[in-house]
Amino acid sequence: MKPMLLTASVAGVFCALFALTVDAVTDALSMAEALALAGLSGFLGSLVGQYVCRRNEK
């Protein structure tokens, strides 16, 4: 259970920072662009979370 919560927490923090960065860089996005960025953010956040968890296991 602990690794799952750590991965989810790291992914959540990554997604929040990604959203802040995108908001700072762009003025307005269409709905399709916002959905694409949300999907990309979730995908990358999951990868980062898995990487951090595997790194801590060693």
Side-chain angles (χ1 to χ4, degrees), residues 19-47:
L20 287 173
T21 303
V22 169
D23 185 49
V25 172
T26 61
D27 289 333
L29 297 174
S30 70
M31 182 59 76
E33 291 170 328
L35 289 173
L37 283 173
L40 179 64
S41 177
F43 176 78
L44 293 175
S46 178
L47 288 178

Side-chain angles (χ1 to χ4, degrees), residues 1-14 45-54 57:
M1 181 66 122
K2 186 177 177 183
M4 200 175 357
L5 292 175
L6 178 62
T7 303
S9 298
V10 170
V13 169
F14 180 87
S46 178
L47 288 178
V48 170
Q50 289 178 34
Y51 174 77
V52 167
C53 286
R54 287 200 178 122
E57 287 178 359

